[in-house]
Amino acid sequence: MRACTETVEQGLYTRPPYTLSREDSEHPLILVCEHASRFIPAQLNDLGLSAEAAREHIAWDIGALALAQRLSDTLGVTLLAANYSRLLVDLNRPRHAPDSIPGQSEIYQVPGNRDLDETTREYRRQCLFKPFHTRLQTLIDQRIAQGRPVRVVGIHSFTPIYYGQPRLLDVGVLYGQANDYAQRLLDGLGRHPLKVAGNQPYKIDPLGDMTVPVHGDARGLEAVLIEVRNDLLRTPEAVARWAGYLAPLL
Ligand SMILES: [Zn+2]
C-alpha cells in the first residue's frame, strides 16, 4: 500500500469500522451484520447519490441491524456489526469481487465509486474491510482454541422490489456446506405462516459471498445467512416478531 496521503479519502474513516457486542458470550453463535449501516462520511456527499437513494437498500440492509441486535439481546450472543455503508466496500464480498466497490447497484448509479484510483480502493479495504474480517477471524480462532463450538450466522434483509419485480418470499436461509443446520432453520421457520425457501433470493457464491464461505464453510463450521424481506422489518413490533421466529432456531 502506498502512503495514505496519496488518496483524497485520507483521514475520512474516523469512526470505528465495526461494533462488537457481547464479545464474552459463551453461546456458540456469532451473529454478523455486514450491511448494518448506511453511514457514509459527509465529505463524500453520499457518493453522488440522491438523499433518497442513499437511504435505500443499496446503501444498507434496512432493518437488519435492529433484528440482529434483538437476537443478540434475546439470546445473549456476540454480534459483530459494520459501522459504514456497503457502498464504500462490501464486507460480504471477496475483496477483489467486481462489485466489492460498486459503480452501480441494482438500478442506481454510484458516481462516487466510478473511476476510483487503486490507492483509494485499497485505502477503503485497509480502513473498513480488513479490520472487520480480521476481528471476526480472531474471534473464531479464540473460541476454537478454547475447544468451543462455533456457529456463524449473517443477518441480512432484501428489497421487496428488485429491478421492478416484486419478490414474494418472506425469508430465505442461504447456505453452502451447512445443509443440516440450514434444514433445521428452514423446517422451524416453515412451522410459521411464512413463505420460506433455501438459497433464495440469492445463493451462496464463493465469488460473491465472504462470511459463509470464508469464515464458516472453509473452516468446517456451521454457517448460514438469513435474508428477511425488508418491508417486514419496519417497526419495533415487527422486528420483535422476527426475532421470536428465529431465536429458538439459531
Ligand atoms: Zn445484505
Coordinates of all heavy atoms in Angstrom, one line a residue, residues 95-129:
R95 N -12.6 -9.4 -1.5 CA -12.1 -8.0 -1.7 C -11.9 -7.7 -3.2 O -11.9 -6.5 -3.6 CB -10.8 -7.7 -1.0 CG -9.8 -8.8 -1.1 CD -8.5 -8.5 -0.2 NE -7.7 -7.6 -0.9 CZ -7.1 -6.6 -0.3 NH1 -7.2 -6.4 1.0 NH2 -6.3 -5.7 -0.9
H96 N -11.7 -8.7 -4.0 CA -11.5 -8.4 -5.5 C -12.7 -8.8 -6.3 O -12.6 -8.8 -7.5 CB -10.2 -9.2 -6.0 CG -9.0 -8.6 -5.3 ND1 -8.6 -7.3 -5.5 CD2 -8.1 -9.2 -4.5 CE1 -7.5 -7.1 -4.8 NE2 -7.1 -8.2 -4.2
A97 N -13.9 -9.0 -5.7 CA -15.1 -9.2 -6.4 C -15.4 -8.0 -7.2 O -15.2 -6.8 -6.8 CB -16.3 -9.5 -5.5
P98 N -16.0 -8.1 -8.4 CA -16.3 -7.0 -9.3 C -17.2 -5.9 -8.6 O -17.0 -4.8 -8.9 CB -17.0 -7.6 -10.5 CG -16.6 -9.0 -10.5 CD -16.4 -9.4 -9.1
D99 N -18.1 -6.4 -7.7 CA -19.0 -5.4 -7.1 C -18.6 -5.2 -5.6 O -19.4 -4.8 -4.8 CB -20.4 -5.9 -7.1 CG -20.6 -7.3 -6.6 OD1 -19.6 -8.0 -6.3 OD2 -21.8 -7.8 -6.4
S100 N -17.3 -5.4 -5.3 CA -16.8 -5.0 -4.0 C -17.0 -3.5 -3.7 O -17.5 -3.2 -2.6 CB -15.3 -5.4 -3.9 OG -14.8 -4.8 -2.7
I101 N -16.7 -2.7 -4.7 CA -16.9 -1.3 -4.6 C -17.7 -0.9 -5.8 O -17.2 -0.5 -6.8 CB -15.6 -0.5 -4.5 CG1 -14.8 -1.0 -3.3 CG2 -15.8 1.0 -4.5 CD1 -13.4 -0.4 -3.2
P102 N -19.1 -1.0 -5.7 CA -19.9 -1.0 -6.9 C -20.0 0.4 -7.5 O -20.3 1.4 -6.9 CB -21.3 -1.5 -6.4 CG -21.3 -1.1 -4.9 CD -19.9 -1.2 -4.5
G103 N -19.9 0.4 -8.8 CA -20.1 1.7 -9.6 C -21.6 1.8 -9.9 O -22.1 2.8 -10.3
Q104 N -22.3 0.7 -9.8 CA -23.8 0.6 -10.0 C -24.3 -0.4 -9.0 O -23.7 -1.5 -8.8 CB -24.1 0.2 -11.4 CG -25.6 0.1 -11.6 CD -26.0 0.0 -13.0 OE1 -25.2 0.2 -13.9 NE2 -27.3 -0.3 -13.3
S105 N -25.4 -0.2 -8.4 CA -26.1 -1.1 -7.5 C -27.5 -1.2 -7.9 O -28.2 -0.2 -7.8 CB -25.9 -0.8 -6.1 OG -26.4 -1.8 -5.2
E106 N -28.0 -2.4 -8.3 CA -29.4 -2.5 -8.8 C -29.6 -1.4 -9.8 O -28.8 -1.3 -10.8 CB -30.4 -2.5 -7.7 CG -31.7 -3.3 -8.0 CD -32.9 -2.6 -7.5 OE1 -32.8 -1.7 -6.7 OE2 -34.1 -3.0 -7.9
I107 N -30.6 -0.6 -9.7 CA -31.0 0.4 -10.7 C -30.3 1.7 -10.5 O -30.5 2.7 -11.2 CB -32.5 0.6 -10.8 CG1 -33.0 1.0 -9.4 CG2 -33.2 -0.7 -11.3 CD1 -34.5 1.4 -9.5
Y108 N -29.4 1.8 -9.5 CA -28.8 3.1 -9.1 C -27.3 3.2 -9.5 O -26.6 2.2 -9.3 CB -28.8 3.3 -7.6 CG -30.2 3.2 -7.0 CD1 -30.8 2.0 -6.6 CD2 -31.0 4.4 -6.9 CE1 -32.1 2.0 -6.0 CE2 -32.2 4.4 -6.3 CZ -32.8 3.2 -5.9 OH -34.1 3.2 -5.4
Q109 N -27.0 4.2 -10.2 CA -25.6 4.5 -10.5 C -25.0 5.1 -9.2 O -25.6 5.8 -8.4 CB -25.4 5.6 -11.6 CG -26.1 5.2 -12.9 CD -25.3 4.1 -13.6 OE1 -24.1 4.1 -13.5 NE2 -26.0 3.1 -14.2
V110 N -23.7 4.8 -8.9 CA -23.0 5.3 -7.8 C -21.8 6.1 -8.2 O -20.7 5.6 -8.4 CB -22.5 4.1 -6.8 CG1 -22.0 4.7 -5.5 CG2 -23.7 3.2 -6.6
P111 N -22.0 7.4 -8.6 CA -21.0 8.2 -9.2 C -19.7 8.2 -8.4 O -18.6 8.2 -9.0 CB -21.6 9.6 -9.3 CG -23.1 9.4 -9.3 CD -23.3 8.2 -8.4
G112 N -19.8 8.3 -7.1 CA -18.6 8.4 -6.3 C -17.7 7.2 -6.3 O -16.6 7.3 -5.8
N113 N -18.2 6.1 -6.8 CA -17.3 4.9 -6.9 C -16.8 4.7 -8.3 O -16.0 3.7 -8.5 CB -18.2 3.6 -6.5 CG -18.3 3.5 -5.0 OD1 -17.7 4.2 -4.3 ND2 -19.2 2.6 -4.6
R114 N -17.2 5.5 -9.2 CA -16.7 5.4 -10.6 C -15.3 6.0 -10.7 O -15.0 7.0 -10.1 CB -17.6 6.0 -11.6 CG -18.9 5.2 -11.6 CD -19.8 5.6 -12.8 NE -21.0 4.6 -12.8 CZ -21.0 3.6 -13.6 NH1 -20.0 3.4 -14.5 NH2 -22.0 2.8 -13.6
D115 N -14.4 5.4 -11.4 CA -13.1 6.0 -11.7 C -12.3 6.2 -10.4 O -11.5 7.1 -10.3 CB -13.2 7.3 -12.5 CG -14.0 7.2 -13.7 OD1 -13.9 6.1 -14.4 OD2 -14.9 8.0 -14.0
L116 N -12.5 5.3 -9.4 CA -11.7 5.4 -8.2 C -10.3 4.9 -8.5 O -10.2 3.8 -9.1 CB -12.3 4.6 -7.1 CG -13.4 5.1 -6.2 CD1 -13.6 4.1 -5.0 CD2 -13.0 6.5 -5.6
D117 N -9.3 5.6 -8.0 CA -8.0 5.0 -8.2 C -7.7 3.9 -7.3 O -8.4 3.7 -6.2 CB -6.9 6.1 -8.1 CG -7.0 6.7 -6.7 OD1 -6.4 6.1 -5.7 OD2 -7.5 7.8 -6.5
E118 N -6.7 3.0 -7.6 CA -6.5 1.8 -6.8 C -6.0 2.2 -5.4 O -6.3 1.4 -4.5 CB -5.4 1.0 -7.5 CG -5.1 -0.3 -6.8 CD -6.3 -1.2 -6.5 OE1 -7.3 -1.2 -7.2 OE2 -6.2 -1.9 -5.5
T119 N -5.3 3.3 -5.2 CA -4.9 3.7 -3.9 C -6.1 3.9 -3.0 O -6.1 3.5 -1.8 CB -4.1 5.0 -3.9 OG1 -3.0 4.7 -4.8 CG2 -3.5 5.3 -2.6
T120 N -7.1 4.6 -3.5 CA -8.3 4.8 -2.7 C -9.1 3.5 -2.4 O -9.6 3.3 -1.3 CB -9.2 5.9 -3.4 OG1 -8.5 7.1 -3.6 CG2 -10.5 6.2 -2.6
R121 N -9.2 2.7 -3.4 CA -9.8 1.4 -3.2 C -9.1 0.6 -2.1 O -9.8 0.0 -1.2 CB -9.9 0.6 -4.5 CG -10.6 1.3 -5.6 CD -10.4 0.6 -7.0 NE -11.2 -0.6 -7.1 CZ -12.4 -0.7 -7.5 NH1 -13.1 0.4 -7.9 NH2 -13.1 -1.8 -7.6
E122 N -7.8 0.6 -2.2 CA -7.0 -0.1 -1.2 C -7.2 0.5 0.2 O -7.2 -0.2 1.2 CB -5.6 -0.2 -1.6 CG -4.7 -1.1 -0.7 CD -5.2 -2.5 -0.6 OE1 -5.8 -3.0 -1.5 OE2 -4.9 -3.1 0.5
Y123 N -7.3 1.8 0.2 CA -7.4 2.6 1.5 C -8.7 2.2 2.1 O -8.8 1.9 3.4 CB -7.4 4.1 1.2 CG -7.4 4.9 2.5 CD1 -6.3 4.9 3.4 CD2 -8.5 5.7 2.8 CE1 -6.3 5.6 4.5 CE2 -8.5 6.5 3.9 CZ -7.4 6.5 4.8 OH -7.4 7.2 5.9
R124 N -9.8 2.1 1.4 CA -11.1 1.6 1.9 C -11.0 0.2 2.5 O -11.5 -0.1 3.5 CB -12.2 1.7 0.9 CG -12.6 3.1 0.5 CD -13.8 3.0 -0.4 NE -14.2 4.4 -0.9 CZ -15.1 4.5 -1.8 NH1 -15.9 3.5 -2.2 NH2 -15.4 5.8 -2.3
R125 N -10.3 -0.7 1.7 CA -10.1 -2.0 2.2 C -9.4 -2.1 3.5 O -9.7 -2.8 4.5 CB -9.4 -2.9 1.2 CG -10.2 -3.1 -0.1 CD -9.3 -4.0 -1.1 NE -9.8 -3.9 -2.4 CZ -9.1 -3.5 -3.5 NH1 -7.9 -3.1 -3.3 NH2 -9.7 -3.4 -4.7
Q126 N -8.3 -1.3 3.6 CA -7.5 -1.3 4.8 C -8.2 -0.7 6.0 O -8.1 -1.1 7.1 CB -6.2 -0.5 4.6 CG -5.2 -1.1 3.6 CD -4.6 -2.4 4.1 OE1 -4.5 -2.6 5.3 NE2 -4.3 -3.3 3.2
C127 N -9.0 0.4 5.8 CA -9.7 1.0 6.9 C -11.0 0.3 7.3 O -11.4 0.4 8.5 CB -10.1 2.5 6.4 SG -8.8 3.6 6.2
L128 N -11.7 -0.4 6.4 CA -13.0 -0.9 6.6 C -13.1 -2.4 6.5 O -13.7 -3.1 7.4 CB -14.0 -0.2 5.7 CG -14.0 1.3 5.6 CD1 -15.0 1.8 4.6 CD2 -14.3 1.9 7.0
F129 N -12.6 -2.9 5.5 CA -12.8 -4.4 5.2 C -11.9 -5.2 6.1 O -12.3 -6.2 6.7 CB -12.5 -4.6 3.7 CG -12.7 -6.0 3.2 CD1 -13.9 -6.4 2.7 CD2 -11.7 -7.0 3.3 CE1 -14.1 -7.7 2.3 CE2 -11.8 -8.3 2.8 CZ -13.1 -8.6 2.3

